Amino acid sequence: MREVAIVSAGMTPFGELWQSSLRDLFVQAAREALDAAQVKRVDGIYVGNMSGGQFVGQEHLGPLMADHLGMAGVPAVRVESACASGGVALRTAFLEVASGMSDLVLAVGVEKMNDGADVTNVLATAADQETEVYHGVTFPGLYAMIARAHMKTYGTTEEDLAAVAVKNHRHGKLNPKAQFRLEVTIEQVMNSSLVAAPLRLLHCSPVSDGAAALLLCPLERAMEFTDRPVKIRGSGFATAPFALADRADPAFLEAVNHSATRAYEMAGVGADDIDVAEVHDCFAIAELCVLEAMGFASPGGAGDLTRSGETTLGGQLPVNTSGGLKSKGHPVGATGIAQAAEIFEQLRGEAGERQVKNATIGLTQNMGGSGASSVVHIFERV
Amino acid sequence: MREVAIVSAGMTPFGELWQSSLRDLFVQAAREALDAAQVKRVDGIYVGNMSGGQFVGQEHLGPLMADHLGMAGVPAVRVESACASGGVALRTAFLEVASGMSDLVLAVGVEKMNDGADVTNVLATAADQETEVYHGVTFPGLYAMIARAHMKTYGTTEEDLAAVAVKNHRHGKLNPKAQFRLEVTIEQVMNSSLVAAPLRLLHCSPVSDGAAALLLCPLERAMEFTDRPVKIRGSGFATAPFALADRADPAFLEAVNHSATRAYEMAGVGADDIDVAEVHDCFAIAELCVLEAMGFASPGGAGDLTRSGETTLGGQLPVNTSGGLKSKGHPVGATGIAQAAEIFEQLRGEAGERQVKNATIGLTQNMGGSGASSVVHIFERV
């Protein structure tokens, strides 16, 4: 396999973007990445998108987006793994370049959720229709059950959950593209309205529109497009039993564990080598479970780690410096690419007020459903 | 890139399969392919599916299907390019093996269309919502416009269109897995009810449920799994302007032309070298346009070619020996894989009454929307 680098990134602001359609968002992010690298045409495009069909009545996004980008003709395909669609788009783009099939490949994640669709029910189609959704459960309920299990096993508290939201909003306030650029306090989180006990409104990521893009090429060509490429050192992808009830321990995200293990092995690094990480905090409990499943914290130890400040900017391992899904926003198909765009900026030293000093190796973890799919990438400054 | 082979195939019957769910169909086809190769676990799964979300309320098919196949944990992702989703799943699986990332990879196409969904409108989400669907056009109308353009430019007749349906039903009658195992006459086609003039009911592929599966591995390992592997010699994928009105000539399918050119180049063969082909006859006019765009017929010459019998079993280039989408059925996400399963059988000499004598090199062409995406594969008996 060839070595692969990211040479540019683009991203729309995330938020309720009523003036922008799905295709507008795609083009805006992709154009930003192309312009940064001064590239006019690519060899292939992967579009990460969860549900253009249900959200805005539009499938077949590959050729649609290639056309609107002024590249009709270019191979372009959509990949989907629910909220991990962006991470999977990055992985398939990586494989296409690594295989030698193509040199310049765009990976773009996009989702338009604020357009009248019944968002909670559309998102629920990422859960098991037959054994979960049919009986009335949606994602806040599924993650609430994960939180209950974690609390029961490890004594995790509502304060631990709140600390995740407080940290991520602190980071997001520094991100010009974040949906909610404001800090929240432990008390505000604890007093926000219940969504699905024990999860409250401020434990939950918002409904967002947005897109993000990355331009990939063989490492050996990267210097043609930028003087500061970022190498993709590892890519791990795994699945888990689909329905939450089918997992041995609902608080242990085995797909996250396996995808991280594969990425660490491929990269030849361990959790201790990571300088900055973006992880999937769709609900506050998810960030705690992910940190434990990836070896950043001991089982049950992520709450303490978060409250200690070690995952805040300035700590040992800053997590979700972008604001995470919680504060930056979560246009589901865009999230995995936006995570990598943040790490790309961090490793190039371009993250401004959010910059992690001397960041050399970064990681992204992007998850689908209640953890049935997970994709992890490890990046290094060249 | 490593050389890649197909070592086994599986396929459900196509039809109105009211007793089988989306996941049942997937497992049935995948299990048939796995059992044929005596394989228990694979390294990766690609699921070709156009719209599980809209048809049956289920997205996130990668981990769902891996789990129901007894392979929870295995990387599994869905790819979508409307009715070309199956062909694209084959291509991404091919790239994953070619890259060296994985050895054993399943490519499975599946669609469950007969389950209460408003099929014509769901399919229309593969067209341009803003410039086509919003104004009321659906796919029969789009292909009717393509037919009108072809008739105007080349003098193509309704009899030419009917000849495609007659041929494909003749072939499909010989296929135990076809949805409609019956012959039709020119007169029956010409007298069937108008759907969108000039297209009549018997010019149109049906609404179908079904799944098909292929098991891929590096060519150098193929003999571990079968004594008759089929090598993938070429893979070409291209897009075109998305909306029909944006194309210079609606009767010229440029994505088909470009995807074929790329596949021919990669395989080092030309149209004359192909012994048997499966092409995308969603409507009768599509088969004519495809044959011309791929160089099997001169522009405007596909009608004569079809009526001459050269594309019928026993002719110079048998096309759609499976019965094609018209007679075999068209569960949209499954079609591209089912086409390759037919060629796999043909090149192994296992096609029974449909066998093309001495078939050595075969081709599949699978198309999305009104031709905005097309994927072509070229296969060779090892």
Side-chain angles (χ1 to χ4, degrees):
Chain A
M1 289 173 60
R2 302 198 292 184
E3 293 196 301
V4 180
I6 300 173
V7 294
S8 65
M11 183 177 153
T12 69
F14 282 4
E16 293 187 23
L17 308 176
W18 298 98
Q19 304 304 317
S20 300
S21 69
L22 184 70
R23 62 190 75 184
D24 294 337
L25 295 169
F26 177 95
V27 169
Q28 184 181 340
R31 181 57 57 204
E32 188 179 321
L34 292 166
D35 288 350
Q38 296 188 286
V39 164
K40 300 286 185 208
R41 200 171 174 89
V42 298
D43 303 317
I45 300 170
Y46 285 92
V47 183
N49 173 264
M50 174 179 159
S51 196
Q54 295 182 89
F55 282 126
V56 295
Q58 185 68 68
E59 309 272 12
H60 208 195
L61 299 185
L64 174 71
M65 297 308 182
D67 188 9
H68 280 268
L69 200 53
M71 294 192 198
V74 167
V77 63
R78 168 187 171 215
V79 295
E80 182 263 322
S81 193
C83 302
S85 297
V88 170
L90 171 56
R91 181 179 160 86
T92 44
F94 165 76
L95 286 174
E96 177 144 342
V97 178
S99 74
M101 176 66 100
S102 299
D103 270 12
L104 280 171
V105 177
L106 265 177
V108 187
V110 62
E111 207 81 51
K112 177 73 187 168
M113 300 170 75
N114 290 294
D115 210 19
D118 179 0
V119 173
T120 300
N121 284 328
V122 172
L123 291 173
T125 62
D128 192 321
Q129 277 303 101
E130 295 188 9
T131 70
E132 294 178 326
V133 186
Y134 182 81
H135 306 282
V137 71
T138 57
F139 278 104
L142 286 166
Y143 276 94
M145 288 189 264
I146 292 174
R148 285 281 190 226
H150 204 273
M151 288 170 153
K152 185 176 176 201
T153 304
Y154 300 114
T156 304
T157 64
E158 291 192 37
E159 285 84 352
D160 293 332
L161 297 177
V164 173
V166 169
K167 166 183 74 73
N168 289 349
H169 273 276
R170 185 170 301 166
H171 294 166
K173 188 182 180 188
L174 308 176
N175 185 351
K177 292 184 172 175
Q179 182 164 1
F180 294 116
R181 295 193 67 188
L182 51 88
E183 292 202 47
V184 297
T185 64
I186 291 277
E187 293 68 33
Q188 285 173 317
V189 179
M190 302 277 289
N191 290 323
S192 63
S193 55
L194 267 175
V195 172
L199 300 180
R200 295 174 180 276
L201 185 66
L202 291 177
H203 293 130
C204 307
S205 60
V207 172
S208 316
D209 307 322
L214 301 168
L215 182 62
L216 280 64
C217 77
L219 181 61
E220 63 187 19
R221 287 194 58 191
M223 291 293 180
E224 295 174 34
F225 307 103
T226 178
D227 55 357
R228 281 170 299 163
V230 167
K231 181 178 158 184
I232 300 176
R233 278 189 58 169
S235 175
F237 180 37
T239 61
F242 197 67
L244 188 59
D246 286 337
R247 299 188 204 141
D249 175 359
F252 177 66
L253 296 173
E254 60 185 82
V256 178
N257 179 265
H258 293 158
S259 57
T261 300
R262 288 172 189 164
Y264 291 148
E265 284 176 5
M266 187 172 169
V269 303
D272 290 348
D273 299 306
I274 307 301
D275 299 314
V276 55
E278 291 280 304
V279 308
H280 199 93
D281 61 318
C282 49
F283 297 92
I285 183 62
E287 180 164 322
L288 299 183
C289 293
V290 166
L291 292 178
E292 294 167 10
M294 294 206 302
F296 291 135
S298 58
D304 285 348
L305 184 76
T306 303
R307 281 190 289 95
S308 77
E310 292 296 354
T311 57
T312 308
L313 265 171
Q316 190 64 33
L317 174 71
V319 172
N320 286 329
T321 54
S322 69
L325 287 53
K326 176 67 198 81
S327 164
K328 181 185 53 186
H330 183 28
V332 291
T335 284
I337 302 289
Q339 291 177 321
E342 173 74 10
I343 296 298
F344 180 75
E345 284 197 10
Q346 288 284 357
L347 299 183
R348 285 160 57 101
E350 294 174 336
E353 292 183 273
R354 310 188 311 284
Q355 184 63 48
V356 174
K357 285 199 184 113
N358 302 317
T360 305
I361 300 182
L363 174 150
T364 58
Q365 181 276 328
N366 184 205
M367 189 151 72
S370 59
S373 66
S374 173
V375 55
V376 171
H377 284 96
I378 296 171
F379 308 88
E380 185 177 20
R381 191 175 64 194
V382 175
Chain B
M1 287 173 61
R2 301 197 293 185
E3 293 196 299
V4 179
I6 300 173
V7 295
S8 65
M11 183 179 154
T12 69
F14 281 5
E16 294 187 21
L17 308 176
W18 298 97
Q19 305 304 317
S20 299
S21 69
L22 184 70
R23 60 190 77 182
D24 293 338
L25 295 169
F26 177 95
V27 169
Q28 184 182 339
R31 181 57 57 202
E32 189 179 321
L34 292 167
D35 288 351
Q38 295 189 286
V39 163
K40 301 286 185 209
R41 200 171 174 90
V42 297
D43 303 318
I45 301 170
Y46 285 92
V47 183
N49 173 264
M50 174 181 159
S51 197
Q54 294 182 90
F55 282 127
V56 295
Q58 184 70 67
E59 309 272 11
H60 208 196
L61 299 185
L64 174 70
M65 297 308 182
D67 188 8
H68 280 270
L69 201 53
M71 293 192 199
V74 167
V77 63
R78 168 187 170 215
V79 295
E80 182 263 324
S81 193
C83 301
S85 298
V88 170
L90 171 57
R91 180 178 160 88
T92 45
F94 165 76
L95 284 174
E96 177 144 345
V97 178
S99 74
M101 176 66 101
S102 299
D103 270 12
L104 280 171
V105 176
L106 264 177
V108 186
V110 62
E111 207 82 51
K112 176 72 187 169
M113 300 169 75
N114 291 293
D115 210 19
D118 179 358
V119 172
T120 299
N121 284 327
V122 172
L123 290 174
T125 62
D128 192 320
Q129 277 304 101
E130 295 187 9
T131 69
E132 294 178 326
V133 187
Y134 183 80
H135 307 281
V137 71
T138 58
F139 278 102
L142 286 166
Y143 277 93
M145 288 188 264
I146 293 174
R148 285 280 189 224
H150 203 274
M151 288 170 154
K152 185 175 177 202
T153 305
Y154 300 113
T156 303
T157 64
E158 291 193 35
E159 287 82 353
D160 293 332
L161 298 176
V164 174
V166 169
K167 168 183 72 75
N168 289 348
H169 273 277
R170 185 170 301 165
H171 294 165
K173 189 183 179 187
L174 307 176
N175 184 351
K177 291 183 172 175
Q179 183 165 0
F180 294 115
R181 296 193 66 189
L182 51 89
E183 293 202 45
V184 297
T185 64
I186 291 277
E187 293 69 32
Q188 285 173 318
V189 179
M190 302 277 288
N191 291 322
S192 62
S193 54
L194 268 175
V195 173
L199 300 181
R200 295 174 181 275
L201 185 66
L202 290 177
H203 292 131
C204 308
S205 60
V207 173
S208 316
D209 308 321
L214 301 168
L215 182 62
L216 279 66
C217 77
L219 181 61
E220 62 187 20
R221 287 194 58 191
M223 290 293 180
E224 294 174 33
F225 306 104
T226 178
D227 56 356
R228 279 170 299 163
V230 167
K231 180 179 159 184
I232 300 176
R233 276 189 59 169
S235 175
F237 180 37
T239 61
F242 197 66
L244 188 58
D246 287 336
R247 299 190 204 141
D249 176 359
F252 176 65
L253 297 173
E254 58 184 84
V256 178
N257 179 264
H258 293 157
S259 57
T261 301
R262 287 171 190 164
Y264 291 147
E265 283 176 5
M266 186 170 169
V269 302
D272 290 347
D273 298 306
I274 307 301
D275 299 313
V276 55
E278 291 280 305
V279 308
H280 199 92
D281 62 317
C282 50
F283 298 91
I285 183 62
E287 180 163 324
L288 299 183
C289 293
V290 165
L291 292 177
E292 294 166 11
M294 294 206 301
F296 291 133
S298 58
D304 284 348
L305 185 76
T306 303
R307 281 190 288 94
S308 77
E310 292 296 353
T311 57
T312 309
L313 264 171
Q316 191 64 30
L317 174 69
V319 172
N320 285 331
T321 54
S322 69
L325 287 53
K326 175 68 199 82
S327 164
K328 182 184 54 186
H330 184 27
V332 290
T335 283
I337 301 288
Q339 290 177 320
E342 173 73 9
I343 296 298
F344 180 75
E345 284 195 10
Q346 288 284 357
L347 298 182
R348 285 159 57 102
E350 294 175 335
E353 292 184 274
R354 310 187 311 282
Q355 184 63 48
V356 175
K357 285 198 185 117
N358 302 318
T360 304
I361 299 181
L363 174 150
T364 57
Q365 182 275 329
N366 183 204
M367 189 151 72
S370 60
S373 66
S374 173
V375 54
V376 171
H377 283 96
I378 295 172
F379 309 88
E380 184 177 21
R381 192 174 65 193
V382 175

